[in-house]
Amino acid sequence: MKNLKDILYKVAIEQVFGSTNNQINSLVFDSRKVTKNDVFVAQKGVAVNGHLFIDKAIDLGASVIICEDIPASKKEGITYVEVNDSSVALAIMASNYYNNPSDKMPLIGVTGTNGKTTIASLLYQLFKKAGYKVGLLSTVKILVDDVEFKATHTTPDSVTINSYLDKMLAGGVDYCFMEVSSHGIHQKRTEGLHFAGGIFTNLSHDHLDYHETFAEYRDVKKQFFDGLPKSAFALTNIDDKNGNYMLQNTKATKKTYALKTIADFKAKILEKQLSGTLITVDGIEVWTKLIGVFNIYNLTAIIATAELLGLEKLEVLTIVSQLESVSGRFEYVISDDSVTAIVDYAHTPDALKNVLETINDIRTGNENLITVVGCGGDRDKTKRPKMAHIASQLSNQVVFTSDNPRTENPQTILDEMEAGVAPENYKKTITVLNRKQAIKTACKFSAAGDIILIAGKGHENYQEINGERTHFDDLEEITNCFNQLKNQ
């Protein structure tokens, strides 16, 4: 049990009805999960207004209501706390409830359109190899040192974040690396957290179904850096046109990384192969298993962050050569007939372009590049024709197929993608609605030496159709295809 007054510390309160000196059980923002003596936080969400469920929460046992609008009819024995923003209040209260764990260990946030998962996950790997206990909050998984938990969101809700940080602190974790999404920032999930550092990767077309304009999307990302304390560092990709913008109002120590521009941390690519990349950092040559210019940007950010957190450069560069690629990020398998299949999470126009350009940069040109790609349903529709154009422009053959259609008609999604294909590329494209069949089709199209890119889902091991998730794994499917062809 916790004292309500203690968990309201630093919350901007408009007015209070009832006592704040009572003992409470848990913080809850879903009325269906309320139990006796819980605090129910009524949020005005995108789809649901939690204020409509205040009475239900009280009936289930809530003794405290945090809300933006005090109900006209108040129930006796219940404490009502009016705040300006319930989501901000929830985040601050969640930190207080768990005794502010982010104040007690370095928490590093990674934000940007692409590269968040790779940077956070590889920083986890690097610091583990350097002998530290490490935490990870990512799209792919949550790790409390060696203990793994399933991730449901890129940036979880504020109560979940703090509960995991509390577990990390109890487990002796030295550093935590966390993906910070634009949704998470906008919905105030990261309020109340103390970040020791922030990393900006890049900014490109994504989430415009949610943010409506690119400027809003950019400015939400910037809020993260605006909120960093003076004691933190703000590390930005200066080669990205939005890199400097992110640092304009931050109080944190400003640091930059780049491949092209003069920066505090700079790397240069010397040699590219399908098996890895040779780079130089401050005149020291390093071989990395990571592939593609975009990944070398990620690696430069990782090296910079490790040094900013006090690791020695030579130790960092030694470990960098041992780092393994992240699940669903440029993962590849080679068939007995020397067909290379690459599975990548690329689900934005910029990410797809980066991956395809990376493959085209490495390959000889004598082989065909076959791309399997779709777009998710109930998400930003404006990127669909753009992704189709990029895929058909940079591939020899393209198979358009379903990604997670969710509640949309998958054929409608594909029609909207096909509208982006230039006339000269029509003959390169084919549509196969069923993703499993699409992968099989790409496999049958391929010959010795060819490259198949399966884009969009990466680490995801499901298909979401009409609210139901069924098992589906791109890497599994292409491996099965290769095995079937071998046995024919």
Side-chain angles (χ1 to χ4, degrees), residues 8 26 69 170 187 193-194 209 247 291 304 315 319 355 375-376 378 380 385 389 408 456 477:
L8 286 173
S26 300
D69 303 309
Q187 294 171 14
L193 296 177
H194 180 274
D209 56 318
L247 301 183
I291 302 158
E315 180 187 18
I319 296 172
V355 172
C375 287
D378 302 329
D380 184 0
H389 172 74
E408 282 196 71
E477 291 299 329

Side-chain angles (χ1 to χ4, degrees), residues 71-92:
S73 177
K74 296 182 284 295
K75 296 195 176 182
E76 193 174 340
I78 304 298
T79 298
Y80 296 86
V81 180
E82 183 183 328
V83 295
N84 183 53
D85 189 321
S86 293
S87 296
V88 173
L90 174 64
I92 294 170

Side-chain angles (χ1 to χ4, degrees), residues 150-163:
K150 187 178 179 182
T152 56
H153 294 79
T154 299
T155 305
D157 66 81
S158 52
V159 177
T160 302
I161 291 170
N162 280 282
S163 69

Side-chain angles (χ1 to χ4, degrees), residues 192-365:
L193 296 177
H194 180 274
F195 286 92
I199 304 166
F200 170 72
T201 63
N202 50 63
L203 209 62
S204 65
H205 189 116
D206 200 16
H207 300 309
L208 298 193
D209 56 318
Y210 181 87
H211 295 292
E212 296 185 0
T213 67
F214 185 81
E216 184 192 324
Y217 175 49
R218 177 199 63 199
D219 290 346
V220 167
K221 293 284 191 189
K222 183 176 178 292
Q223 286 174 24
F224 171 67
F225 293 93
D226 291 350
L228 290 175
K230 190 176 180 180
S231 58
F233 66 81
L235 176 67
T236 190
N237 174 4
I238 203 70
D239 283 345
D240 187 282
K241 62 184 179 182
N242 295 289
N244 266 324
Y245 182 77
M246 295 295 152
L247 301 183
Q248 281 181 0
N249 303 110
T250 188
K251 297 185 287 291
T253 302
K254 299 174 183 180
K255 294 292 181 180
T256 59
Y257 68 97
L259 298 186
K260 303 172 185 173
T261 317
I262 294 172
D264 297 307
F265 300 91
K266 188 169 181 179
K268 183 180 179 182
I269 297 172
L270 301 179
E271 187 180 327
K272 305 171 189 174
Q273 296 178 21
L274 197 56
S275 57
T277 311
L278 182 64
I279 64 171
T280 181
V281 180
D282 293 338
I284 303 169
E285 288 190 5
V286 182
W287 174 260
T288 172
K289 297 174 186 176
L290 301 186
I291 302 158
V293 174
F294 60 97
N295 262 330
I296 304 308
Y297 275 106
N298 295 337
L299 202 64
T300 310
I302 291 159
I303 292 166
T305 301
E307 289 190 41
L308 288 169
L309 289 173
L311 271 64
E312 292 293 328
K313 182 184 291 291
L314 285 177
E315 180 187 18
V316 171
L317 296 181
T318 301
I319 296 172
V320 158
S321 64
Q322 304 165 18
L323 298 179
E324 300 287 343
S325 61
V326 179
S327 174
R329 271 62 175 179
F330 220 94
E331 268 192 288
Y332 65 91
V333 59
I334 302 172
S335 76
D336 287 356
D337 296 330
S338 298
V339 176
T340 300
I342 298 165
V343 172
D344 195 271
Y345 188 53
H347 62 287
T348 67
D350 190 57
L352 183 62
K353 183 171 181 280
N354 283 339
V355 172
L356 286 167
E357 285 182 343
T358 293
I359 296 168
N360 282 321
D361 200 27
I362 295 169
R363 71 191 186 109
T364 64

Side-chain angles (χ1 to χ4, degrees), residues 380-439:
D380 184 0
K381 294 184 177 184
T382 63
K383 69 182 181 183
R384 293 171 185 175
K386 294 179 181 180
M387 289 184 67
H389 172 74
I390 290 165
S392 57
Q393 192 73 23
L394 298 177
S395 311
N396 299 104
Q397 178 80 50
V398 180
V399 184
F400 294 129
T401 189
S402 290
D403 198 323
N404 298 319
R406 299 183 178 88
T407 64
E408 282 196 71
N409 183 331
Q411 187 59 57
T412 301
I413 298 171
L414 292 171
D415 290 344
E416 291 175 1
M417 289 184 70
E418 288 169 357
V421 178
E424 65 269 21
N425 293 325
Y426 286 160
K427 290 183 179 179
K428 290 183 181 182
T429 68
I430 184 174
T431 298
V432 180
L433 195 62
N434 182 286
R435 193 173 182 92
K436 185 170 188 171
Q437 292 303 318
I439 293 172

